[in-house]
Amino acid sequence: MANYESLLRGQLVNSGFSVASILSNFACAGETRSNEREIYTFNFHDVQRGTKAFPEVPTRSTVSFFGRLTHAQTYPVNGMFSSVQPKHCQFTYYDKYGLVQPPLSLSLTDSQVALLKTMVPRDEPGEWRGKYCEGKIPDMAVSDRSKADCVGGNHVIAIEASYRWPVAVSRSLADAKSFSDVSGSRKLPGAILVCDDDCASASAEASVALTDLGVPLTTWWCKQDSRALKDCERKDFPKPKAG
């Protein structure tokens, strides 16, 4: 499984006469809505070493930096992080005289706030399990190295985006075998495929391949507005032969 990091790139400018030592983390706030706002916290990040950075900005100098998103959550305006103004990022730093107060606060444009929102990774697999595994056991370990997205009365199921249907089929076949080996109970492999738009193209391609494969398997093709598995198109393989 690939791991992705959300990185913010920026520059710090020191126009003063003392070296500025920046605290290793900083926070940004979105706009206020219903007395709440989204808070984004970052660590300064050394991309070469993959570690937390502790930047210093020499006098009359500019330093580029990367901030690694560590947390994003909605807080009441008067709760934690209340010192961070809406649509601002706040940096705490020291100079030769000690802690500088108030902290440095930089304003954000609407487009920059929108970009912050896009940095928060969506847990699509978790969302999909919540929608499509109702009545089944989600995230079930079937071996020491593998978990099925859900296991129901008749199926061991893998969930993937529709364009990754070969991956879903491969996972479901392997997980169904592992489940059988461990439990002694046989269940069919199943694949839930979630489409970005129209399912027709990927479904047609998969149907040809899975018919030729000849292995008992069930697929469900789910559109973005499908609220539950019953709303998805079910296809069972192998298909009955004509005539």
Side-chain angles (χ1 to χ4, degrees), residues 209-230:
L210 297 178
T211 299
D212 292 341
L213 185 63
V215 174
L217 172 81
T218 300
T219 61
W220 290 267
W221 297 85
C222 304
K223 298 179 181 179
Q224 290 293 333
D225 59 356
S226 299
R227 296 185 177 181
L229 198 58
K230 64 180 179 63

Side-chain angles (χ1 to χ4, degrees), residues 120-139:
V120 182
R122 291 182 58 196
D123 179 18
E124 285 189 328
E127 293 176 9
W128 293 341
R129 283 193 294 270
K131 288 175 66 174
Y132 303 125
C133 292
E134 185 177 358
K136 301 174 176 59
I137 302 173
D139 207 24

Side-chain angles (χ1 to χ4, degrees), residues 68 77 91 133 150 166 212:
R68 177 178 175 270
V77 170
F91 301 82
C133 292
C150 48
D212 292 341

Side-chain angles (χ1 to χ4, degrees), residues 9 42 46 54 69 74 80 88 94 107 121 134 161 167 180 182 186 188 198 203 218 226 234:
R9 185 174 185 176
F42 295 85
D46 186 326
F54 298 85
L69 182 68
T74 301
M80 191 178 296
H88 279 73
Y94 298 79
S107 64
E134 185 177 358
V167 175
S180 178
V182 170
R186 184 176 181 275
L188 290 173
D198 183 23
S203 176
T218 300
S226 299
R234 174 171 173 165

Side-chain angles (χ1 to χ4, degrees), residues 7-209:
L7 298 178
L8 175 70
R9 185 174 185 176
Q11 289 184 325
L12 296 170
V13 179
N14 183 356
S15 57
F17 297 94
S18 177
V19 175
S21 299
I22 317 297
L23 204 66
S24 62
N25 50 60
F26 62 95
C28 300
E31 58 188 332
T32 300
R33 292 183 178 178
S34 302
N35 205 37
E36 292 184 333
R37 62 212 167 136
E38 194 82 3
I39 298 293
Y40 307 85
T41 60
F42 295 85
N43 283 334
F44 286 106
H45 187 66
D46 186 326
V47 294
Q48 299 297 326
R49 299 178 181 178
T51 58
K52 184 186 292 187
F54 298 85
E56 286 191 346
V57 187
T59 59
R60 304 293 180 173
S61 296
T62 299
V63 172
S64 296
F65 71 88
F66 285 95
R68 177 178 175 270
L69 182 68
T70 57
H71 185 70
Q73 187 172 321
T74 301
Y75 290 91
V77 170
N78 295 323
M80 191 178 296
F81 300 102
S82 59
S83 65
V84 186
Q85 299 177 46
K87 298 172 65 175
H88 279 73
C89 290
Q90 181 172 286
F91 301 82
T92 301
Y93 70 101
Y94 298 79
D95 63 15
K96 64 181 181 180
Y97 301 107
L99 178 65
V100 177
Q101 291 288 359
L104 174 65
S105 184
L106 301 179
S107 64
L108 299 172
T109 65
D110 289 341
S111 61
Q112 288 170 331
V113 171
L115 284 173
L116 282 178
K117 294 178 181 179
T118 67
M119 296 183 69
V120 182
R122 291 182 58 196
D123 179 18
E124 285 189 328
E127 293 176 9
W128 293 341
R129 283 193 294 270
K131 288 175 66 174
Y132 303 125
C133 292
E134 185 177 358
K136 301 174 176 59
I137 302 173
D139 207 24
M140 181 177 178
V142 293
S143 71
D144 292 340
R145 298 182 178 181
S146 180
K147 288 184 178 182
D149 285 311
C150 48
V151 175
N154 298 314
H155 293 88
V156 178
I157 297 172
I159 307 176
E160 294 281 355
S162 59
Y163 69 90
R164 286 170 55 86
W165 67 262
V167 175
V169 169
S170 177
R171 285 179 52 211
S172 66
L173 290 170
D175 289 347
K177 183 179 185 305
S178 295
F179 179 86
S180 178
D181 292 344
V182 170
S183 67
S185 175
R186 184 176 181 275
K187 293 183 183 289
L188 290 173
I192 296 174
L193 293 316
V194 184
C195 311
D196 281 338
D197 40 42
D198 183 23
C199 295
S201 178
S203 176
E205 178 188 2
S207 294
V208 173

